[in-house]
Amino acid sequence: MTGTLLRALAEHARNAPDRCALAAGGRRTGYAQLHNEARGVAAALRQRGIGPGDRVAVHGEKTPGAVTAILGVLLAGAAYVPLDPSAPAARRRALVEDAGAAAVLTARARVEQLAADLAATPVLAVEDLATTPADSLPEAPAGPEDLAYVLYTSGSTGRPKGVCIPHRALDAFFDAVGPLLGIGPDSVCLNTSALHFDVSVVDLLLPLVHGATVHLGPAVPLPGLLLDLIEREQVTHMAAVGSTLTLLAQHGDGLTGRRLGSLRRIMTGAEILNPATVQAWLSAAGNAEVVNGYGPTEATCLVVAQPIARREPGRTEPYPIGRPLPGVRIAFRDADGRVSDSGPGEILVAGAQLMTGYLNRPEEERSAFLDVDGVRHYRTGDLGQLHPDGVIAFAGRADDEVKVRGYRINLNEVRGAVESYPAVAQAFVTAAPDRRGEAALICAVRLRDGAAATENELVAHVAGLLPRYMVPREFVLLPDFPALSTGKPDTVRLRELVGAR
């Protein structure tokens, strides 16, 4: 057995068996129970010949059973592949096939439906596996370069990319982020992220490493429920993307009157922070510090961070993304290909937290890395610059990717899905404020001559191909697309037209 998480889980089960590990829906699971059930899952997988080098998909909402499945896969020595339960069946099949999953683990109530949909892959009920005797569970040593998980992100080719994170990277993440957040056995942590979102390593796996109690938040971050839960359970640590923090801060009467004094750390990132939101949380949670984090999925979620504790009620200036974590090297590559330590330019990341590569995508993998003085760097596609005081400022994207509610979305993948509808001749997708002022995907569409399509028809078509978070919130029908002298779409003008809708 190897890995920081698995060693810690066994230690907590032995030394604090009754301490609550997971809480959800009124059910509390102690560390001994969680460890024993995860060992049962691992033993059942090993009996089926599944171990190091294999990948196992985990399908389901955030439940203790789904967490048990993830831990069981790791204990078996295999890598887990989290699936978005809201994704269309066609996408789910494509990911399971691309991952080469040896099995799919899910709740017993979902087995029959998934088995019919995934006829070529065994679908197993976590509840049944968890009762397997694990006394003779063999050691399944996973080496540093063996995979811990494969997480799929949006791809420029229209196909999702499987990011391969090895145990080496996950352990480096735990070592670097643990001291930053100060989580311990007495901590009460709120998990707001989905299992298929990389922030789950921050607000689910990291707390389990430190023996904390993790409250699994609802699948949909309903602000009232989350705020009530923070107050009722005296949550000390939480992680949420910037838009979720804003949603919570603006709910009802805002944070005024809420009893949030238990909060010590609020981890956020994945989006550009709203200074007013940060200040609202600092004001309402008097003992809290907001930690602004930055990092791509390909570098195990978090590589740069900036603790924010200063009260500045009128602040409008954007916050920097911070300083590199221990073991992380940051460099910058300008438009002419020159690499420097200060930039400005594309942010390059090196260190033990880097992925091994993309699953089954050798060409994209080669283009994702850059050798700098013999050191392998990941090209993030993000732009930034090192300030004289040593902190890094974020300056946007260099390509067609955007962040919406924390999810990384390649606009070309969404455009391809829209243009696959027979009535659509041309589509343009951008991120812009929707009718409520929230960041959302907006799609401009030019229909084929004589064709007709309603917004509902377009939504239904795209929803059948892509996860919910990638479906445009609005469609704008245009008679023609403005073009440049080269004949290419005038994207500047298209953004203006979408903004003026």
Side-chain angles (χ1 to χ4, degrees), residues 259-309:
R259 298 183 302 278
L260 304 177
S262 61
L263 281 170
R264 299 202 293 267
R265 294 288 192 284
I266 301 170
M267 183 78 221
T268 188
E271 298 173 328
I272 296 176
L273 279 186
N274 181 337
T277 294
V278 173
Q279 289 302 315
W281 280 95
L282 291 177
S283 175
N287 300 316
E289 180 177 80
V290 174
V291 180
N292 187 19
Y294 164 83
T297 301
E298 288 85 348
T300 320
C301 182
L302 185 64
V303 293
V304 173
Q306 175 74 19
I308 304 169

Side-chain angles (χ1 to χ4, degrees), residues 159-487:
R159 297 171 60 201
K161 297 180 294 189
V163 176
C164 298
I165 298 296
H167 283 276
R168 169 258 302 162
L170 191 57
D171 286 353
F173 165 85
F174 291 140
D175 288 343
V177 181
L180 178 70
L181 297 186
I183 298 174
D186 63 337
S187 300
V188 180
C189 304
L190 173 60
N191 157 260
T192 65
S193 61
L195 299 179
H196 62 278
F197 188 23
D198 66 349
V199 178
S200 62
V201 303
V202 177
D203 66 1
L204 173 61
L205 300 188
L206 180 65
L208 293 179
V209 166
H210 294 282
T213 295
V214 181
H215 284 268
L216 301 176
V220 178
L222 300 174
L225 289 179
L226 287 178
L227 290 169
D228 289 347
L229 193 154
I230 293 169
E231 289 185 309
R232 183 178 67 251
E233 302 296 339
Q234 292 291 284
V235 168
T236 61
H237 293 72
M238 63 179 289
V241 298
S243 55
T244 297
L245 289 182
T246 298
L247 182 68
L248 294 173
Q250 296 178 351
H251 174 69
D253 295 329
L255 303 178
T256 303
R258 288 284 183 176
R259 298 183 302 278
L260 304 177
S262 61
L263 281 170
R264 299 202 293 267
R265 294 288 192 284
I266 301 170
M267 183 78 221
T268 188
E271 298 173 328
I272 296 176
L273 279 186
N274 181 337
T277 294
V278 173
Q279 289 302 315
W281 280 95
L282 291 177
S283 175
N287 300 316
E289 180 177 80
V290 174
V291 180
N292 187 19
Y294 164 83
T297 301
E298 288 85 348
T300 320
C301 182
L302 185 64
V303 293
V304 173
Q306 175 74 19
I308 304 169
R310 185 178 177 184
R311 272 59 174 173
E312 302 174 283
R315 182 180 177 119
T316 58
E317 180 185 358
Y319 286 105
I321 55 177
R323 291 176 167 81
L325 297 179
V328 173
R329 180 192 171 190
I330 299 294
F332 303 86
R333 183 175 185 267
D334 68 18
D336 295 322
R338 293 186 296 263
V339 176
S340 69
D341 292 331
S342 58
E346 180 185 12
I347 299 174
L348 309 178
V349 180
Q353 289 185 216
L354 288 191
M355 66 174 179
T356 56
Y358 294 120
L359 191 64
N360 306 323
R361 304 285 192 279
E363 291 185 5
E364 292 185 74
E365 183 176 316
R366 281 192 292 271
S367 64
F369 291 104
L370 183 70
D371 186 285
V372 180
D373 298 329
V375 178
R376 185 173 179 250
H377 286 66
Y378 171 67
R379 300 184 59 184
T380 66
D382 293 322
L383 301 175
Q385 183 174 8
L386 183 69
H387 283 179
D389 61 359
V391 298
I392 299 169
F394 179 77
R397 288 289 299 181
D399 57 18
D400 289 320
E401 285 192 353
V402 297
K403 285 283 188 76
V404 175
R405 297 188 299 280
Y407 287 100
R408 194 173 83 188
I409 299 171
N410 191 287
L411 298 177
N412 286 326
E413 185 175 2
V414 182
R415 177 180 57 80
V418 177
E419 289 183 346
S420 69
Y421 191 66
V424 175
Q426 204 170 10
F428 170 78
V429 185
T430 188
D434 66 5
R435 295 183 181 97
R436 293 177 294 182
E438 300 174 359
L441 293 182
I442 313 295
C443 181
V445 170
R446 179 175 67 83
L447 299 178
R448 298 184 183 279
D449 292 343
T454 66
E455 184 170 8
N456 288 341
E457 290 170 341
L458 293 171
V459 168
H461 172 75
V462 178
L465 299 174
L466 300 177
R468 183 170 49 202
Y469 65 87
M470 293 179 68
V471 178
R473 189 170 292 178
E474 296 179 34
F475 286 85
V476 180
L477 298 180
L478 299 177
D480 291 296
F481 270 23
L484 301 171
S485 58
T486 59

Side-chain angles (χ1 to χ4, degrees), residues 55 74 77-79 142-143 145-150 164-167 356 359:
R55 294 174 290 277
L74 292 172
E145 294 302 323
D146 286 325
L147 298 186
Y149 63 84
V150 177
C164 298
I165 298 296
H167 283 276
T356 56
L359 191 64

